[in-house]
Amino acid sequence: MVGDGRSYLIVGNWKMHRTVSETVEALLELTQRWKGAEGVKVVICPPFTAILIAAKTVAGSEIRLGAQNLHWAPEGAFTGEVSPVMLQELAVDYVIVGHSERRILFQEDGPAVAKKFAAALENGLLPILCVGENGAEREAGRQGQIVEEQIREVLTPLKEPGKFAIAYEPVWAIGTGKTAEPEDVQRMHGHIRTILGKCGVAAGQVPILYGGSVNASNSASLLSQRDVDGALVGGASLRNDEFLAIAGQAAQLAGRKI
Ligand code: 13P
């Protein structure tokens, strides 16, 4: 739990979905329907090609923006990459770092994730570090150790990390419809707070989100867990009704200050 009452960060990761025109259509509706709620921040991470128009569309609204990835260098000969400086200019506040799809499909290793995390912080972006075990690691009971390694390799090189968030996204739960049991999620989030404490971070100040097949039917039970401070939503964030229902549940839980 972050702070005194409950506060939530609800992040939609659109992945490689939505063109510029589809982005405008979706965000116009979201900005009209989401008027904000105390204790809830709603963030959308569109693809890079749509961030500029997204920034114009959400200006003055209660929707914030994030990017799905970044390079660590401010500029340079890195064909196809996007730098933190470029994101800053686009009014992006958040950036997802180390998503399992990048680690697995694009061979992003721990040192690369650590450099991206540091670069985001240096450039005033709030990194959302994704961690989580795959199915085989879970079956072997190694999830706690895997998550600890993923967090330590990012935090160890930093003296004072500043503001960041963690998203626990077990790989076997992403896009599969299989959600981790709320009690298992709570146990892992508690473990993550312990790791943060051991790394010298004020663990209570770091929002820990859950991601992996979150939808409007399972979000309330996940968000009501003590150490779940939000959700990183993939597929369900592409349906405004469902995404708003998840944000609405967060607003109810924040209002109850459990
Ligand atoms: P799904 O919600 O589609 O399982 O995706 C989760 C995710 O990867 C969010 O970053």
Side-chain angles (χ1 to χ4, degrees):
M1 188 186 293
V2 174
D4 298 335
R6 292 231 61 168
S7 56
Y8 290 101
L9 186 57
I10 305 296
V11 184
N13 175 10
W14 284 1
K15 306 192 180 183
M16 198 173 73
H17 293 282
R18 287 188 166 145
T19 63
V20 164
S21 54
E22 289 164 349
T23 296
V24 171
E25 194 186 339
L27 287 179
L28 277 178
E29 189 192 338
L30 272 186
T31 53
Q32 275 161 19
R33 292 176 59 187
W34 179 253
K35 298 295 181 201
E38 203 183 331
V40 184
K41 283 197 187 113
V42 171
V43 179
I44 295 290
C45 303
F48 284 129
T49 46
I51 291 182
L52 180 58
I53 196 76
K56 289 190 176 150
T57 312
V58 303
S61 81
E62 291 295 325
I63 309 272
R64 296 284 165 272
L65 293 179
Q68 299 174 17
N69 184 27
L70 81 170
H71 192 272
W72 53 82
E75 62 179 1
F78 299 106
T79 301
E81 295 292 320
V82 172
S83 89
V85 178
M86 296 167 182
L87 293 176
Q88 246 186 349
E89 199 185 29
L90 294 176
V92 165
D93 297 320
Y94 298 82
V95 59
I96 297 171
V97 174
H99 193 283
S100 61
E101 285 154 14
R102 299 227 44 97
R103 292 181 195 256
I104 296 164
L105 303 174
F106 301 97
Q107 290 78 45
E108 230 175 65
D109 60 10
V113 174
K115 282 194 269 186
K116 290 177 177 210
F117 187 88
L121 289 168
E122 272 164 34
N123 288 280
L125 301 165
L126 194 150
I128 302 171
L129 174 68
C130 297
V131 297
E133 79 286 357
N134 64 31
E137 289 160 345
R138 179 149 199 117
E139 273 173 32
R142 295 182 58 225
Q143 61 270 33
Q145 181 196 337
I146 296 292
V147 165
E148 178 152 9
E149 281 165 13
Q150 289 170 332
I151 294 174
R152 279 188 183 275
E153 68 193 346
V154 163
L155 291 183
T156 305
L158 300 173
K159 281 211 179 75
E160 278 184 37
K163 280 193 173 181
F164 67 95
I166 291 195
Y168 171 53
E169 295 208 310
V171 178
W172 50 269
I174 295 177
T176 57
K178 287 190 219 159
T179 319
E181 291 302 322
E183 300 73 30
D184 282 348
V185 173
Q186 168 54 35
R187 202 169 305 124
M188 179 59 89
H189 284 214
H191 175 59
I192 291 171
R193 277 212 213 284
T194 306
I195 299 166
L196 291 172
K198 285 198 270 182
C199 291
V201 171
Q205 301 304 312
V206 178
I208 306 177
L209 320 183
Y210 170 77
S213 298
V214 174
N215 57 43
S217 308
N218 60 28
S219 53
S221 57
L222 289 160
L223 293 171
S224 53
Q225 299 299 312
R226 187 162 52 94
D227 286 298
V228 176
D229 304 310
L232 183 51
V233 187
S237 73
L238 295 169
R239 299 182 290 276
N240 278 355
D241 285 346
E242 185 151 15
F243 186 64
L244 286 166
I246 295 168
Q249 285 166 0
Q252 279 197 355
L253 291 165
R256 275 191 229 149
K257 298 199 188 307
I258 52 171

